[in-house]
Amino acid sequence: MTREDAQVMLEEAVGAGESPDVRKVDLAGEEKLVRGRLPGLEMIFDRFVRNFRPTLETMLNRRCVMSLSGLSIEKFDTFSKKLVHPSSMHLFRMPPLAGQGLVVISSPLCFATIDSMFGGRGRPIRKAESREYTPLEKRLISRVVLLGLENLKESWSIISPVDLVYGRAEQDPMILSIAAPHDSVTNVQVDIELGNEKGSCIFCFPGFMLEPIREKLSAGFHQLQSEVDENMK
């Protein structure tokens, strides 16, 4: 259990007027919304949304709306069971941090993006969401993910310099092993509207990956802003 998990449970117990020593908590099944609890991570992805939106619009030659939907912590087993097969999943590393992260792109967004790349209006391919992605479709979506990781790398620099290295694409959630089933993962969901279609992009980080910099991610906004201003001098 990470310090973030423990803090969330303690605050919930105190807020409910119960003793944290006797409150029963379902650790395996409980999902914890953490918006406001990791201001550093929110700052990173707020910046990512602002920077990546015009980049994606230029790439697709189409207006898009992008917003940070939310942050949550849950067990990896709970998260992976929500994924459907096939899914557009992309593994990446963040040296010097250990382990691998995961990007999951919803099928409607994938096919709307592919349609835009071929000059379409950003409409998904109907009845195609349950089939496997073709090699060409996987390459096209990987190009978008690579571009996104480049933008995310720049956004992470305001908190802690890291590299973002693309690994590989996968479609079957059952073969993923970025964390043990009962290990905690932190998920960040970015909603994207492309034309008339809406979809999501979820970034999944194992708890042990973020642990070395959790103190920075948990720092208050004003403290973080002071550090950012100092680094930019």
Side-chain angles (χ1 to χ4, degrees):
M1 181 188 299
T2 65
R3 285 179 293 174
E4 181 64 31
D5 291 331
Q7 182 65 28
V8 170
M9 287 188 292
L10 178 61
E11 291 178 4
E12 287 177 349
V14 174
E18 301 176 0
S19 169
D21 293 327
V22 300
R23 183 172 184 245
K24 295 181 179 179
V25 179
D26 180 8
L27 294 180
E30 187 171 89
E31 178 179 353
K32 311 172 188 65
L33 298 179
V34 294
R35 182 132 196 175
R37 302 179 190 273
L38 293 174
L41 197 57
E42 289 185 42
M43 182 182 292
I44 289 169
F45 276 90
D46 280 335
R47 185 171 182 176
F48 169 74
V49 166
R50 290 196 305 270
N51 293 344
F52 187 51
R53 182 187 59 79
T55 302
L56 187 61
E57 287 181 335
T58 300
M59 181 182 191
L60 302 180
N61 193 28
R62 182 163 304 282
R63 180 179 178 273
C64 70
V65 178
M66 193 176 300
S67 62
L68 176 59
S69 175
L71 285 71
S72 64
I73 293 178
E74 59 187 338
K75 301 304 177 184
F76 179 64
D77 184 57
T78 303
F79 169 74
S80 60
K81 286 179 178 178
K82 297 176 184 178
L83 303 178
V84 298
H85 179 257
S87 292
S88 181
M89 304 175 295
H90 305 264
L91 296 164
F92 63 89
R93 295 184 296 106
M94 291 178 58
L97 301 179
Q100 295 185 99
L102 178 68
V103 182
V104 182
I105 307 174
S106 65
S107 290
L109 181 58
C110 280
F111 288 115
T113 299
I114 292 168
D115 184 66
S116 294
M117 287 179 159
F118 285 102
R121 298 180 180 180
R123 295 175 296 187
I125 303 172
R126 300 303 175 187
K127 299 182 179 180
E129 296 179 12
S130 61
R131 66 164 171 80
E132 299 276 343
Y133 293 93
T134 67
L136 175 59
E137 290 168 344
K138 287 190 288 185
R139 286 197 299 270
L140 292 174
I141 293 301
S142 294
R143 285 173 53 191
V144 178
V145 175
L146 279 167
L147 198 61
L149 292 178
E150 290 177 7
N151 279 260
L152 187 57
K153 175 182 176 179
E154 193 277 332
S155 299
W156 268 93
S157 65
I158 64 175
I159 299 296
S160 180
V162 296
D163 197 5
L164 273 92
V165 182
Y166 183 83
R168 67 182 191 276
E170 294 288 356
Q171 298 189 66
D172 186 357
M174 298 299 293
I175 67 175
L176 291 176
S177 59
I178 65 170
H182 294 291
D183 282 352
S184 296
V185 292
T186 299
N187 302 322
V188 183
Q189 178 170 325
V190 176
D191 290 338
I192 301 176
E193 183 176 340
L194 188 61
N196 294 324
E197 292 299 326
K198 296 180 180 179
S200 64
C201 179
I202 300 176
F203 294 82
C204 178
F205 303 93
F208 64 82
M209 172 184 273
L210 300 182
E211 190 61 30
I213 57 172
R214 189 169 295 275
E215 185 173 343
K216 289 185 177 181
L217 296 177
S218 302
F221 175 81
H222 294 296
Q223 178 182 342
L224 288 169
Q225 191 62 55
S226 297
E227 293 180 5
V228 171
D229 293 341
E230 183 67 26
N231 291 335
M232 295 180 64
K233 290 181 180 179

